[in-house]
């Protein structure tokens, strides 16, 4: 029983100090996760609230089935891009068919991962070449970052490849919206400064390294608050600044995905690729963090946990999820001791979905674009180029 339900192991020794540490970590991760969830949903071509939905059920299910004490699952940049690329071949963005295909992809990906876990195929991660994975993630990060530049400039630059997007930016630069550029440029500069210089500044002021790291990771919240207030106070939506707009309040209603055989056949290969890439990222992050505390994870059980998380994401109106590096590191640095921190985060995200969405109406999409750019550039492994050569 404990093999498939690791929750029984840590619940047996759960106590008040551990719960307090997990709760504090959950608060910090939630602050970071709200803008990320919105941004990655838009990156996937989905309504912003879908990102919030994908950050509730998966966290709860991973707390039950996962073996990592600090891994935080949810939407991530690379999987969001892969979802947009795959679903965009089937339906047009903004349609019910597009959302339905993304939901079905999450469920299908989850079923694949669950089957792999039951068959004890966790060892397959050992056969994946590190240069291939590193190159794939780095190239995806560059493509994602360049694809967000039009959002910073307030222009449209359609295209599916890097060259097409760059040409689109060059052609559309004449239509730059100065207000969008001012907000997006500020958010980008602030987030970049926070990542590169804020931690050292805080440490010089006597802040402990762990606390300083958490503050740096939470910088997107400050960018969201400042730019949202500016857009609201100055009425920038009437001046051409794209804002998130209405985000429905309330929890997602559980529902089955479309069972159309043609749809499932069309997304079969993309779902398999998302499953593989998502699992490799998840197990890599989980193993790295576990090693720092001399803990161990079970690769086969991680397949089951990630599969259950994706099935939960799909059934609750979300899209494919995996273990996120940045939020997992924040969870670790904030002192999370057990997967209960993820469960607390899920509850906090649910409360945010219920009560905080009206406050996000004036959130500029340029801010979310800046958040994505800064987040994904950290995935680019420039040193890998030299090693591969």
């Amino acid at each position: 029983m404990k093999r498939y339900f690791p929750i029984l192991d840590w619940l047996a020794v759960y106590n008040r100090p551990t719960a307090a540490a997990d709760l504090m970590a959950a608060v910090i991760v939630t602050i970071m996760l709200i803008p990320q969830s919105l941004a990655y949903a838009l990156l996937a071509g989905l309504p912003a609230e879908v990102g919030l939905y994908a950050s509730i059920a998966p966290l709860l299910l991973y707390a039950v089935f996962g073996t990592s004490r600090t891994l935080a699952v949810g939407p991530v940049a690379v999987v969001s891009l892969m979802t947009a690329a795959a679903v965009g071949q089937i339906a047009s963005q903004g349609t019910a068919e597009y959302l339905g295909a993304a939901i079905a992809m999450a469920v299908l990906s989850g079923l694949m991962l669950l089957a792999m876990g039951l068959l004890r195929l966790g060892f397959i991660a050992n056969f994946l070449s590190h240069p291939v994975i590193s190159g794939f993630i780095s190239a995806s990060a560059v493509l994602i970052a360049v694809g967000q530049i039009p959002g910073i400039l307030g222009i449209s630059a359609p295209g599916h490849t890097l060259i097409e997007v760059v040409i689109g930016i060059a052609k559309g630069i004449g239509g730059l919206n100065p207000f969008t550029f001012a907000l997006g440029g500020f958010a980008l500069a602030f987030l970049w400064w926070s990542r590169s210089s804020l931690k050292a500044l805080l440490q010089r002021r006597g802040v402990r390294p762990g606390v300083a790291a958490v503050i740096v990771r939470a910088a997107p919240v400050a960018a969201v608050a400042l730019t949202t207030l500016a857009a609201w106070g100055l009425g920038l939506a009437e001046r051409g600044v794209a804002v998130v707009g209405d985000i429905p309040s309330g929890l997602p209603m559980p529902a089955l995905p479309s069972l159309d055989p043609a749809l499932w056949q069309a997304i079969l290969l993309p779902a398999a690729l998302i499953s593989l890439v998502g699992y490799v990222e998840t197990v890599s992050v989980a193993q790295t963090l576990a090693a720092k505390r001399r803990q161990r994870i079970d690769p086969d059980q991680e397949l089951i946990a990630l599969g259950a998380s994706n099935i939960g994401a799909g059934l609750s109106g979300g899209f494919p999820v995996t273990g996120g590096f940045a939020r997992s590191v924040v969870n670790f640095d904030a002192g999370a001791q057990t997967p209960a921190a993820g469960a607390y985060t899920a509850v906090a995200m649910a409360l945010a979905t219920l009560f905080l969405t009206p406050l996000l109406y004036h959130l500029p999409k340029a801010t979310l674009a800046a958040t994505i750019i800064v987040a994904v550039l950290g995935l680019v492994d420039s040193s890998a180029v030299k090693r591969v050569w």
Side-chain angles (χ1 to χ4, degrees):
M1 180 66 71
K2 288 185 178 181
R3 173 187 166 191
Y4 294 113
F5 296 95
I7 186 175
L8 299 176
D9 287 326
W10 58 264
L11 275 182
V13 294
Y14 205 58
N15 54 39
R16 184 175 298 178
T18 302
D22 287 342
L23 185 59
M24 179 59 67
V27 171
I28 295 171
V29 173
T30 301
I31 292 173
M32 173 188 182
L33 187 54
I34 291 174
Q36 277 196 354
S37 298
L38 299 171
Y40 292 151
L42 296 178
L43 176 60
L46 297 165
E49 66 270 15
V50 176
L52 299 176
Y53 300 161
S55 302
I56 300 174
L59 286 165
L60 291 172
L61 289 165
Y62 186 84
V64 175
F65 296 103
T67 59
S68 171
R69 299 295 179 96
T70 53
L71 185 74
V73 299
V76 299
V78 174
V79 171
S80 298
L81 176 65
M82 295 176 70
T83 300
V87 178
Q89 303 297 320
I90 301 171
S92 300
Q93 288 190 15
T95 63
E97 290 77 13
Y98 189 97
L99 175 58
I103 290 172
M105 185 170 291
V107 174
L108 181 55
S109 175
L111 291 173
M112 290 179 175
L113 290 163
L114 187 60
M116 291 168 63
L118 294 174
L119 294 173
R120 303 182 65 81
L121 298 181
F123 65 87
I124 62 172
N126 299 327
F127 294 95
L128 296 174
S129 167
H130 175 72
V132 170
I133 297 298
S134 175
F136 174 81
I137 292 178
S138 295
S140 298
V142 171
L143 183 60
I144 292 170
V146 173
Q148 297 305 305
I149 292 177
I152 298 286
L153 303 177
I155 63 175
S156 176
H160 297 289
T161 67
L162 183 64
I163 295 176
E164 290 176 350
V165 174
V166 170
I167 293 175
I169 293 173
K171 290 181 178 179
I173 193 68
L176 179 147
N177 183 300
F179 301 104
T180 300
F181 181 61
L183 290 175
F186 164 77
L188 187 62
F190 173 74
L191 292 173
W192 190 263
W193 170 79
S194 298
R195 171 167 288 196
S196 61
S197 305
L198 181 57
K199 184 176 180 179
L201 175 63
L202 291 172
Q203 288 180 328
R204 287 198 297 270
R205 298 293 180 90
V207 179
R208 290 182 299 172
V211 176
V214 170
I215 293 175
V216 171
R217 299 288 186 181
V221 178
V224 165
L226 292 172
T227 55
T228 300
L229 287 172
W232 169 71
L234 300 175
L236 297 183
E238 288 75 31
R239 302 189 181 189
V241 175
V243 297
V244 171
D246 283 315
I247 300 178
S249 298
L251 298 176
M253 296 300 295
L256 290 174
S258 171
L259 300 178
D260 181 7
L263 171 62
W264 285 62
Q265 183 178 358
I267 63 175
L268 182 63
L269 180 58
L273 293 175
I274 286 176
S275 300
L276 189 59
V277 172
Y279 172 65
V280 171
E281 182 173 355
T282 296
V283 77
S284 298
V285 174
Q287 287 177 336
T288 299
L289 296 179
K292 292 184 177 182
R293 293 182 179 174
R294 296 185 178 181
Q295 297 169 348
R296 297 183 63 183
I297 67 164
D298 182 343
D300 296 319
Q301 184 62 33
E302 287 300 298
L303 280 168
I304 294 175
L306 189 58
S309 297
N310 275 279
I311 293 173
L315 296 181
S316 59
F319 60 107
V321 299
T322 189
F325 176 76
R327 70 178 67 102
S328 296
V329 170
V330 170
N331 200 34
F332 181 92
D333 290 341
Q337 299 298 312
T338 73
Y344 296 147
T345 302
V347 173
M349 290 298 294
L351 293 174
T353 304
L354 284 170
F355 302 112
L356 297 184
T357 52
L359 301 178
L360 300 173
Y361 181 94
H362 292 281
L363 171 59
K365 291 185 178 180
T367 302
L368 297 180
T371 301
I372 293 174
I373 290 174
V374 175
V376 300
L377 288 181
L379 300 176
V380 177
D381 186 1
S382 56
S383 63
V385 177
K386 183 177 180 180
R387 291 198 305 271
V388 171
W389 177 257

PDB file of all heavy atoms in Angstrom, residues 66-97:
ATOM      1  N   GLY A  66       3.336  11.504  -4.736  1.00  0.00           N
ATOM      2  CA  GLY A  66       4.730  11.826  -5.009  1.00  0.00           C
ATOM      3  C   GLY A  66       5.676  11.408  -3.899  1.00  0.00           C
ATOM      4  O   GLY A  66       5.295  11.284  -2.734  1.00  0.00           O
ATOM      5  N   THR A  67       6.941  11.193  -4.281  1.00  0.00           N
ATOM      6  CA  THR A  67       7.955  10.792  -3.304  1.00  0.00           C
ATOM      7  C   THR A  67       8.935  11.920  -2.975  1.00  0.00           C
ATOM      8  O   THR A  67       9.718  11.786  -2.043  1.00  0.00           O
ATOM      9  CB  THR A  67       8.754   9.581  -3.815  1.00  0.00           C
ATOM     10  OG1 THR A  67       9.393   9.920  -5.056  1.00  0.00           O
ATOM     11  CG2 THR A  67       7.843   8.390  -4.035  1.00  0.00           C
ATOM     12  N   SER A  68       8.910  13.009  -3.734  1.00  0.00           N
ATOM     13  CA  SER A  68       9.768  14.148  -3.415  1.00  0.00           C
ATOM     14  C   SER A  68       9.108  14.991  -2.341  1.00  0.00           C
ATOM     15  O   SER A  68       7.899  15.257  -2.403  1.00  0.00           O
ATOM     16  CB  SER A  68      10.025  15.002  -4.656  1.00  0.00           C
ATOM     17  OG  SER A  68      10.671  16.210  -4.313  1.00  0.00           O
ATOM     18  N   ARG A  69       9.892  15.417  -1.363  1.00  0.00           N
ATOM     19  CA  ARG A  69       9.342  16.209  -0.264  1.00  0.00           C
ATOM     20  C   ARG A  69       9.142  17.678  -0.643  1.00  0.00           C
ATOM     21  O   ARG A  69       8.418  18.396   0.052  1.00  0.00           O
ATOM     22  CB  ARG A  69      10.270  16.126   0.957  1.00  0.00           C
ATOM     23  CG  ARG A  69      10.465  14.714   1.512  1.00  0.00           C
ATOM     24  CD  ARG A  69       9.180  14.140   2.060  1.00  0.00           C
ATOM     25  NE  ARG A  69       9.325  12.791   2.578  1.00  0.00           N
ATOM     26  CZ  ARG A  69       9.534  12.496   3.853  1.00  0.00           C
ATOM     27  NH1 ARG A  69       9.642  13.466   4.735  1.00  0.00           N
ATOM     28  NH2 ARG A  69       9.627  11.237   4.237  1.00  0.00           N
ATOM     29  N   THR A  70       9.796  18.133  -1.731  1.00  0.00           N
ATOM     30  CA  THR A  70       9.773  19.573  -2.031  1.00  0.00           C
ATOM     31  C   THR A  70       9.394  19.905  -3.466  1.00  0.00           C
ATOM     32  O   THR A  70       9.316  21.078  -3.812  1.00  0.00           O
ATOM     33  CB  THR A  70      11.150  20.202  -1.728  1.00  0.00           C
ATOM     34  OG1 THR A  70      12.170  19.461  -2.412  1.00  0.00           O
ATOM     35  CG2 THR A  70      11.444  20.193  -0.244  1.00  0.00           C
ATOM     36  N   LEU A  71       9.147  18.924  -4.310  1.00  0.00           N
ATOM     37  CA  LEU A  71       8.802  19.206  -5.700  1.00  0.00           C
ATOM     38  C   LEU A  71       7.442  19.899  -5.775  1.00  0.00           C
ATOM     39  O   LEU A  71       6.495  19.512  -5.086  1.00  0.00           O
ATOM     40  CB  LEU A  71       8.761  17.910  -6.512  1.00  0.00           C
ATOM     41  CG  LEU A  71       8.538  18.094  -8.014  1.00  0.00           C
ATOM     42  CD1 LEU A  71       9.808  18.620  -8.676  1.00  0.00           C
ATOM     43  CD2 LEU A  71       8.107  16.783  -8.664  1.00  0.00           C
ATOM     44  N   ALA A  72       7.343  20.919  -6.619  1.00  0.00           N
ATOM     45  CA  ALA A  72       6.090  21.642  -6.831  1.00  0.00           C
ATOM     46  C   ALA A  72       5.681  21.490  -8.288  1.00  0.00           C
ATOM     47  O   ALA A  72       6.405  21.933  -9.187  1.00  0.00           O
ATOM     48  CB  ALA A  72       6.251  23.118  -6.470  1.00  0.00           C
ATOM     49  N   VAL A  73       4.554  20.851  -8.532  1.00  0.00           N
ATOM     50  CA  VAL A  73       4.093  20.634  -9.899  1.00  0.00           C
ATOM     51  C   VAL A  73       3.142  21.745 -10.319  1.00  0.00           C
ATOM     52  O   VAL A  73       2.538  22.422  -9.486  1.00  0.00           O
ATOM     53  CB  VAL A  73       3.405  19.263 -10.053  1.00  0.00           C
ATOM     54  CG1 VAL A  73       4.350  18.137  -9.729  1.00  0.00           C
ATOM     55  CG2 VAL A  73       2.161  19.181  -9.169  1.00  0.00           C
ATOM     56  N   GLY A  74       3.022  21.919 -11.634  1.00  0.00           N
ATOM     57  CA  GLY A  74       2.134  22.938 -12.171  1.00  0.00           C
ATOM     58  C   GLY A  74       2.535  23.278 -13.586  1.00  0.00           C
ATOM     59  O   GLY A  74       3.386  22.609 -14.195  1.00  0.00           O
ATOM     60  N   PRO A  75       1.953  24.315 -14.164  1.00  0.00           N
ATOM     61  CA  PRO A  75       2.319  24.727 -15.525  1.00  0.00           C
ATOM     62  C   PRO A  75       3.770  25.193 -15.577  1.00  0.00           C
ATOM     63  O   PRO A  75       4.247  25.866 -14.662  1.00  0.00           O
ATOM     64  CB  PRO A  75       1.363  25.901 -15.803  1.00  0.00           C
ATOM     65  CG  PRO A  75       0.259  25.759 -14.807  1.00  0.00           C
ATOM     66  CD  PRO A  75       0.874  25.141 -13.591  1.00  0.00           C
ATOM     67  N   VAL A  76       4.474  24.826 -16.645  1.00  0.00           N
ATOM     68  CA  VAL A  76       5.840  25.291 -16.869  1.00  0.00           C
ATOM     69  C   VAL A  76       5.964  25.769 -18.307  1.00  0.00           C
ATOM     70  O   VAL A  76       5.149  25.422 -19.167  1.00  0.00           O
ATOM     71  CB  VAL A  76       6.887  24.190 -16.578  1.00  0.00           C
ATOM     72  CG1 VAL A  76       6.819  23.734 -15.133  1.00  0.00           C
ATOM     73  CG2 VAL A  76       6.712  23.015 -17.515  1.00  0.00           C
ATOM     74  N   ALA A  77       7.002  26.544 -18.571  1.00  0.00           N
ATOM     75  CA  ALA A  77       7.128  27.220 -19.867  1.00  0.00           C
ATOM     76  C   ALA A  77       7.256  26.248 -21.032  1.00  0.00           C
ATOM     77  O   ALA A  77       6.550  26.364 -22.045  1.00  0.00           O
ATOM     78  CB  ALA A  77       8.323  28.165 -19.830  1.00  0.00           C
ATOM     79  N   VAL A  78       8.174  25.295 -20.935  1.00  0.00           N
ATOM     80  CA  VAL A  78       8.445  24.412 -22.067  1.00  0.00           C
ATOM     81  C   VAL A  78       7.218  23.577 -22.423  1.00  0.00           C
ATOM     82  O   VAL A  78       6.849  23.456 -23.596  1.00  0.00           O
ATOM     83  CB  VAL A  78       9.656  23.503 -21.764  1.00  0.00           C
ATOM     84  CG1 VAL A  78       9.855  22.479 -22.879  1.00  0.00           C
ATOM     85  CG2 VAL A  78      10.927  24.343 -21.604  1.00  0.00           C
ATOM     86  N   VAL A  79       6.569  23.004 -21.430  1.00  0.00           N
ATOM     87  CA  VAL A  79       5.377  22.193 -21.688  1.00  0.00           C
ATOM     88  C   VAL A  79       4.236  23.064 -22.215  1.00  0.00           C
ATOM     89  O   VAL A  79       3.456  22.625 -23.073  1.00  0.00           O
ATOM     90  CB  VAL A  79       4.954  21.442 -20.414  1.00  0.00           C
ATOM     91  CG1 VAL A  79       3.600  20.772 -20.592  1.00  0.00           C
ATOM     92  CG2 VAL A  79       6.004  20.391 -20.061  1.00  0.00           C
ATOM     93  N   SER A  80       4.139  24.305 -21.743  1.00  0.00           N
ATOM     94  CA  SER A  80       3.118  25.217 -22.265  1.00  0.00           C
ATOM     95  C   SER A  80       3.350  25.491 -23.743  1.00  0.00           C
ATOM     96  O   SER A  80       2.401  25.514 -24.542  1.00  0.00           O
ATOM     97  CB  SER A  80       3.129  26.533 -21.479  1.00  0.00           C
ATOM     98  OG  SER A  80       2.811  26.315 -20.119  1.00  0.00           O
ATOM     99  N   LEU A  81       4.603  25.713 -24.121  1.00  0.00           N
ATOM    100  CA  LEU A  81       4.924  25.938 -25.528  1.00  0.00           C
ATOM    101  C   LEU A  81       4.607  24.707 -26.361  1.00  0.00           C
ATOM    102  O   LEU A  81       4.036  24.810 -27.458  1.00  0.00           O
ATOM    103  CB  LEU A  81       6.399  26.310 -25.680  1.00  0.00           C
ATOM    104  CG  LEU A  81       6.895  26.486 -27.119  1.00  0.00           C
ATOM    105  CD1 LEU A  81       6.209  27.673 -27.770  1.00  0.00           C
ATOM    106  CD2 LEU A  81       8.409  26.662 -27.156  1.00  0.00           C
ATOM    107  N   MET A  82       4.964  23.523 -25.856  1.00  0.00           N
ATOM    108  CA  MET A  82       4.680  22.288 -26.577  1.00  0.00           C
ATOM    109  C   MET A  82       3.165  22.081 -26.726  1.00  0.00           C
ATOM    110  O   MET A  82       2.697  21.603 -27.770  1.00  0.00           O
ATOM    111  CB  MET A  82       5.313  21.103 -25.853  1.00  0.00           C
ATOM    112  CG  MET A  82       6.829  21.130 -25.826  1.00  0.00           C
ATOM    113  SD  MET A  82       7.539  19.765 -24.865  1.00  0.00           S
ATOM    114  CE  MET A  82       7.145  18.366 -25.941  1.00  0.00           C
ATOM    115  N   THR A  83       2.414  22.447 -25.707  1.00  0.00           N
ATOM    116  CA  THR A  83       0.957  22.340 -25.786  1.00  0.00           C
ATOM    117  C   THR A  83       0.409  23.255 -26.867  1.00  0.00           C
ATOM    118  O   THR A  83      -0.428  22.852 -27.687  1.00  0.00           O
ATOM    119  CB  THR A  83       0.323  22.689 -24.432  1.00  0.00           C
ATOM    120  OG1 THR A  83       0.798  21.787 -23.425  1.00  0.00           O
ATOM    121  CG2 THR A  83      -1.188  22.608 -24.500  1.00  0.00           C
ATOM    122  N   ALA A  84       0.888  24.510 -26.895  1.00  0.00           N
ATOM    123  CA  ALA A  84       0.417  25.460 -27.904  1.00  0.00           C
ATOM    124  C   ALA A  84       0.773  24.979 -29.307  1.00  0.00           C
ATOM    125  O   ALA A  84      -0.041  25.079 -30.234  1.00  0.00           O
ATOM    126  CB  ALA A  84       1.023  26.834 -27.642  1.00  0.00           C
ATOM    127  N   ALA A  85       1.993  24.457 -29.472  1.00  0.00           N
ATOM    128  CA  ALA A  85       2.423  23.995 -30.800  1.00  0.00           C
ATOM    129  C   ALA A  85       1.579  22.825 -31.277  1.00  0.00           C
ATOM    130  O   ALA A  85       1.219  22.738 -32.456  1.00  0.00           O
ATOM    131  CB  ALA A  85       3.896  23.618 -30.760  1.00  0.00           C
ATOM    132  N   ALA A  86       1.253  21.915 -30.369  1.00  0.00           N
ATOM    133  CA  ALA A  86       0.496  20.723 -30.752  1.00  0.00           C
ATOM    134  C   ALA A  86      -0.979  21.042 -30.982  1.00  0.00           C
ATOM    135  O   ALA A  86      -1.553  20.662 -32.006  1.00  0.00           O
ATOM    136  CB  ALA A  86       0.644  19.649 -29.671  1.00  0.00           C
ATOM    137  N   VAL A  87      -1.586  21.749 -30.051  1.00  0.00           N
ATOM    138  CA  VAL A  87      -3.017  22.026 -30.147  1.00  0.00           C
ATOM    139  C   VAL A  87      -3.306  23.025 -31.262  1.00  0.00           C
ATOM    140  O   VAL A  87      -4.372  22.991 -31.887  1.00  0.00           O
ATOM    141  CB  VAL A  87      -3.559  22.539 -28.798  1.00  0.00           C
ATOM    142  CG1 VAL A  87      -5.036  22.871 -28.886  1.00  0.00           C
ATOM    143  CG2 VAL A  87      -3.327  21.494 -27.710  1.00  0.00           C
ATOM    144  N   GLY A  88      -2.330  23.903 -31.534  1.00  0.00           N
ATOM    145  CA  GLY A  88      -2.516  24.873 -32.610  1.00  0.00           C
ATOM    146  C   GLY A  88      -2.665  24.238 -33.977  1.00  0.00           C
ATOM    147  O   GLY A  88      -3.185  24.864 -34.911  1.00  0.00           O
ATOM    148  N   GLN A  89      -2.214  22.989 -34.129  1.00  0.00           N
ATOM    149  CA  GLN A  89      -2.372  22.273 -35.389  1.00  0.00           C
ATOM    150  C   GLN A  89      -3.770  21.679 -35.529  1.00  0.00           C
ATOM    151  O   GLN A  89      -4.147  21.212 -36.606  1.00  0.00           O
ATOM    152  CB  GLN A  89      -1.337  21.144 -35.470  1.00  0.00           C
ATOM    153  CG  GLN A  89       0.103  21.584 -35.338  1.00  0.00           C
ATOM    154  CD  GLN A  89       0.539  22.498 -36.460  1.00  0.00           C
ATOM    155  OE1 GLN A  89       0.180  22.299 -37.615  1.00  0.00           O
ATOM    156  NE2 GLN A  89       1.323  23.529 -36.128  1.00  0.00           N
ATOM    157  N   ILE A  90      -4.532  21.678 -34.437  1.00  0.00           N
ATOM    158  CA  ILE A  90      -5.842  21.022 -34.426  1.00  0.00           C
ATOM    159  C   ILE A  90      -6.986  22.023 -34.436  1.00  0.00           C
ATOM    160  O   ILE A  90      -8.005  21.820 -35.103  1.00  0.00           O
ATOM    161  CB  ILE A  90      -5.963  20.112 -33.184  1.00  0.00           C
ATOM    162  CG1 ILE A  90      -4.853  19.046 -33.207  1.00  0.00           C
ATOM    163  CG2 ILE A  90      -7.335  19.459 -33.107  1.00  0.00           C
ATOM    164  CD1 ILE A  90      -4.757  18.249 -31.933  1.00  0.00           C
ATOM    165  N   ALA A  91      -6.824  23.125 -33.698  1.00  0.00           N
ATOM    166  CA  ALA A  91      -7.907  24.101 -33.569  1.00  0.00           C
ATOM    167  C   ALA A  91      -7.318  25.497 -33.445  1.00  0.00           C
ATOM    168  O   ALA A  91      -6.116  25.671 -33.206  1.00  0.00           O
ATOM    169  CB  ALA A  91      -8.777  23.772 -32.356  1.00  0.00           C
ATOM    170  N   SER A  92      -8.153  26.495 -33.595  1.00  0.00           N
ATOM    171  CA  SER A  92      -7.731  27.892 -33.499  1.00  0.00           C
ATOM    172  C   SER A  92      -7.802  28.356 -32.053  1.00  0.00           C
ATOM    173  O   SER A  92      -8.719  27.977 -31.314  1.00  0.00           O
ATOM    174  CB  SER A  92      -8.630  28.780 -34.363  1.00  0.00           C
ATOM    175  OG  SER A  92      -8.563  28.398 -35.727  1.00  0.00           O
ATOM    176  N   GLN A  93      -6.833  29.177 -31.665  1.00  0.00           N
ATOM    177  CA  GLN A  93      -6.825  29.710 -30.304  1.00  0.00           C
ATOM    178  C   GLN A  93      -8.095  30.499 -30.024  1.00  0.00           C
ATOM    179  O   GLN A  93      -8.612  31.206 -30.886  1.00  0.00           O
ATOM    180  CB  GLN A  93      -5.606  30.607 -30.090  1.00  0.00           C
ATOM    181  CG  GLN A  93      -4.298  29.857 -29.994  1.00  0.00           C
ATOM    182  CD  GLN A  93      -3.152  30.744 -29.554  1.00  0.00           C
ATOM    183  OE1 GLN A  93      -3.353  31.849 -29.060  1.00  0.00           O
ATOM    184  NE2 GLN A  93      -1.930  30.258 -29.709  1.00  0.00           N
ATOM    185  N   GLY A  94      -8.571  30.371 -28.795  1.00  0.00           N
ATOM    186  CA  GLY A  94      -9.770  31.086 -28.397  1.00  0.00           C
ATOM    187  C   GLY A  94     -11.059  30.323 -28.619  1.00  0.00           C
ATOM    188  O   GLY A  94     -12.124  30.795 -28.220  1.00  0.00           O
ATOM    189  N   THR A  95     -10.961  29.154 -29.238  1.00  0.00           N
ATOM    190  CA  THR A  95     -12.163  28.363 -29.487  1.00  0.00           C
ATOM    191  C   THR A  95     -12.332  27.295 -28.419  1.00  0.00           C
ATOM    192  O   THR A  95     -11.374  26.912 -27.737  1.00  0.00           O
ATOM    193  CB  THR A  95     -12.098  27.692 -30.866  1.00  0.00           C
ATOM    194  OG1 THR A  95     -10.991  26.772 -30.892  1.00  0.00           O
ATOM    195  CG2 THR A  95     -11.902  28.730 -31.958  1.00  0.00           C
ATOM    196  N   ALA A  96     -13.544  26.791 -28.299  1.00  0.00           N
ATOM    197  CA  ALA A  96     -13.807  25.724 -27.340  1.00  0.00           C
ATOM    198  C   ALA A  96     -13.063  24.454 -27.739  1.00  0.00           C
ATOM    199  O   ALA A  96     -12.647  23.678 -26.873  1.00  0.00           O
ATOM    200  CB  ALA A  96     -15.311  25.454 -27.276  1.00  0.00           C
ATOM    201  N   GLU A  97     -12.879  24.258 -29.041  1.00  0.00           N
ATOM    202  CA  GLU A  97     -12.159  23.074 -29.514  1.00  0.00           C
ATOM    203  C   GLU A  97     -10.692  23.113 -29.080  1.00  0.00           C
ATOM    204  O   GLU A  97     -10.107  22.079 -28.757  1.00  0.00           O
ATOM    205  CB  GLU A  97     -12.239  22.974 -31.046  1.00  0.00           C
ATOM    206  CG  GLU A  97     -13.619  22.632 -31.581  1.00  0.00           C
ATOM    207  CD  GLU A  97     -14.561  23.836 -31.566  1.00  0.00           C
ATOM    208  OE1 GLU A  97     -14.062  24.973 -31.381  1.00  0.00           O
ATOM    209  OE2 GLU A  97     -15.784  23.629 -31.716  1.00  0.00           O
TER     210      GLU A  97
END
